[in-house]
């Protein structure tokens, strides 16, 4: 029996092709016609695996979330309540996944919806924080806060937003005399800002953790 001319069309291949297009050319490049051309198939055949473009983008977003490590939360508990380290490691893993696929970040800014990996992440973070001693309501707040911070840090570069033309600033902005240099230092500035922000968040959460634990009824 002769081999098929093209590899078997699967949902996984469609999602991987869409992600590659999105990474290379942005959201506008992701269309059923373009993906079909890349895969060497007819457009309607995609609908046997992905119903709509929104469903496809949701699957692409979930594939990116599949790169986020949550294993550090499984080890948390009464004997290992080090939620700070878990949150730090998770934040770096989450940000790395978004940095590898920056064009999908706007689609990740919303809630988890029905995305399996998004729900896996939410379940792991919440469960780990509760196991480490956070009250359930506080654990929800902490998880949301961390997502806001991590996703916000990946949406755009602060430093890259400054024009490299020194004449833009002139004498009107006396404190921005070196702002034209920021774009060239984008990576360092963005990394430093993320680390400072993450440290400040964890320090603030440590104070809150102590307060909420002290306010809990005696558990002995």
């Amino acid at each position: 029996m002769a081999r098929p001319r093209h590899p078997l069309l699967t949902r996984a291949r469609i999602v991987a092709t869409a992600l590659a297009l999105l990474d290379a050319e942005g959201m506008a490049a992701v269309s059923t016609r373009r993906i079909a051309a890349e895969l060497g198939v007819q457009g309607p055949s995609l609908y046997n695996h992905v119903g709509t473009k929104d469903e496809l983008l949701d699957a692409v977003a979930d594939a990116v979330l599949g790169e986020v490590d949550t294993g550090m939360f499984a080890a948390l508990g009464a004997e290992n309540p080090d939620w700070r380290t878990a949150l730090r490691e998770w934040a770096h893993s989450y940000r790395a996944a978004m940095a590898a696929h920056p064009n999908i970040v706007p689609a990740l800014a919303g809630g988890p919806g029905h995305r399996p990996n998004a729900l896996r992440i939410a379940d792991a973070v919440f469960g780990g924080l509760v196991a480490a001693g956070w009250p359930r309501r506080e654990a929800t707040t902490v998880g949301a806060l961390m997502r806001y911070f991590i996703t916000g840090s990946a949406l755009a570069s602060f430093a890259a937003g400054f024009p490299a033309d020194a004449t833009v600033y002139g004498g009107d902005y006396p404190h921005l005399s070196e702002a034209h240099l920021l774009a060239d230092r984008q990576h360092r500035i963005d990394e430093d800002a993320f680390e400072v922000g993450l440290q400040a968040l964890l320090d603030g959460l440590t104070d809150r953790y102590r307060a909420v634990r002290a306010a809990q009824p005696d558990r002995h």
Side-chain angles (χ1 to χ4, degrees), residues 111-130:
H114 291 85
R115 299 169 186 162
N117 282 314
L119 293 171
R120 170 186 63 82
I121 291 170
D123 181 71
V125 175
F126 179 79
L129 291 175
V130 171

Side-chain angles (χ1 to χ4, degrees), residues 17-31:
T17 301
L19 179 56
L21 279 174
L22 187 143
D23 286 343
E25 301 180 34
M27 194 77 75
V30 181
S31 68

Side-chain angles (χ1 to χ4, degrees), residues 141-214:
T141 301
V142 172
L145 170 64
M146 293 298 295
R147 271 193 80 253
Y148 296 152
F149 171 69
I150 300 165
T151 305
S153 73
L155 279 171
S157 167
F158 171 80
F162 286 86
D165 181 2
T167 63
V168 169
Y169 307 98
D172 295 328
Y173 312 102
H175 303 298
L176 299 180
S177 60
E178 295 187 355
H180 62 287
L181 303 174
L182 293 178
D184 286 339
R185 302 168 183 174
Q186 170 187 343
H187 181 74
R188 178 182 61 78
I189 292 170
D190 291 345
E191 289 297 314
D192 288 352
F194 180 78
E195 291 300 332
V196 170
L198 181 58
Q199 185 66 39
L201 274 180
L202 294 176
D203 288 346
L205 288 174
T206 297
D207 290 340
R208 187 166 184 85
Y209 179 77
R210 291 169 179 159
V212 298
R213 292 282 288 178

